[in-house]
Amino acid sequence: AQSVTQPDARVTVSEGASLQLRCKYSYSGTPYLFWYVQYPRQGLQLLLKYYSGDPVVQGVNGFEAEFIKSNSSFHLRKASVHWSDSAVYFCAVSAADNNAPRFGAGTKLSVKP
Amino acid sequence: DPKIIQKPKYLVAVTGSEKILICEQYLGHNAMYWYRQSAKKPLEFMFSYSYQKLMDNQTASSRFQPQSSKKNHLDLQITALKPDDSATYFCASSQGRPAETLYFGSGTRLTVL
């Protein structure tokens, strides 16, 4: 079975600073990897996903993530954060056998003005 | 217009009672899911259905029963409610193929007194 670890429960950065949110997955096969964002009192929305190919994938609003197989990681990055990026970010992994994605515990991002 | 409708938005129940959480999706998707989010276990996978058939069940308790009366419906019946069942329950849908994006509803916040 697959699982995800997001080691940072909370991250605070200043507006305009760069961002990295960490994600490590556990799965013996080829993973499908996702980052979702959750704004207050809403459901989750997809930021980006990785299936195969170029290990750096681009998402919405300037977010990108890099799949590093040797490290079982899929960290999320953004070059310059905006206050509106404040939200909870979830990393998820899905197996190739069509089972439902499993999510990490989430990282709450706070952007200081 | 929301494409995944969850009803009700808020629900208060007494211990031992039974409630049904409603989910309808208008995205034409073949697969539907239930996830639960609480302070103790953030975004926990519960069930997945594909073409109205149960694909995966990670819920240990038989008190939780999904019900799919139509292709675009996946309701969740919870019996003998306990305070620990208090959580936000999210319905989601996808095309059902591996690694497809999940689309989430805005959730039903259940409080059990």
Side-chain angles (χ1 to χ4, degrees), chain A residues 2-4 6 32 34 36 38 42-46 90-95 98-105, chain B residues 4 6 8 21-23 31-39 41-49 54-59 64-66 74-78 84-94 96-110:
Chain A
Q2 68 274 38
S3 65
V4 172
Q6 293 181 248
Y32 298 137
F34 309 82
Y36 284 82
Q38 184 181 31
Q42 295 184 27
L44 281 70
Q45 305 168 36
L46 181 73
F90 291 91
C91 182
V93 61
S94 180
N98 204 27
N99 70 347
R102 299 319 199 249
F103 287 79
Chain B
I4 299 183
Q6 289 190 245
L21 281 54
I22 306 294
C23 178
M32 297 185 71
Y33 311 80
W34 278 102
Y35 286 83
R36 174 171 56 189
Q37 186 177 43
S38 67
K41 291 186 179 181
L43 213 53
E44 175 188 16
F45 168 71
M46 300 180 72
F47 300 97
S48 64
Y49 267 63
L54 180 66
M55 299 299 291
D56 195 359
N57 176 1
Q58 292 295 313
T59 304
F64 295 83
Q65 290 293 328
L74 186 63
D75 301 335
L76 181 64
Q77 179 186 40
I78 314 174
D84 267 358
D85 298 330
S86 297
T88 300
Y89 291 79
F90 287 102
C91 176
S93 70
S94 75
R97 293 187 293 274
E100 285 291 340
T101 302
L102 292 187
Y103 292 82
F104 283 83
S106 56
T108 292
R109 183 177 292 182
L110 172 65

Side-chain angles (χ1 to χ4, degrees), chain B residues 11-37:
Chain B
L11 188 55
V12 179
V14 296
T15 297
S17 66
E18 171 183 317
K19 293 295 180 186
I20 295 180
L21 281 54
I22 306 294
C23 178
E24 308 169 8
Q25 58 93 2
Y26 296 94
L27 295 165
H29 289 162
N30 302 316
M32 297 185 71
Y33 311 80
W34 278 102
Y35 286 83
R36 174 171 56 189
Q37 186 177 43

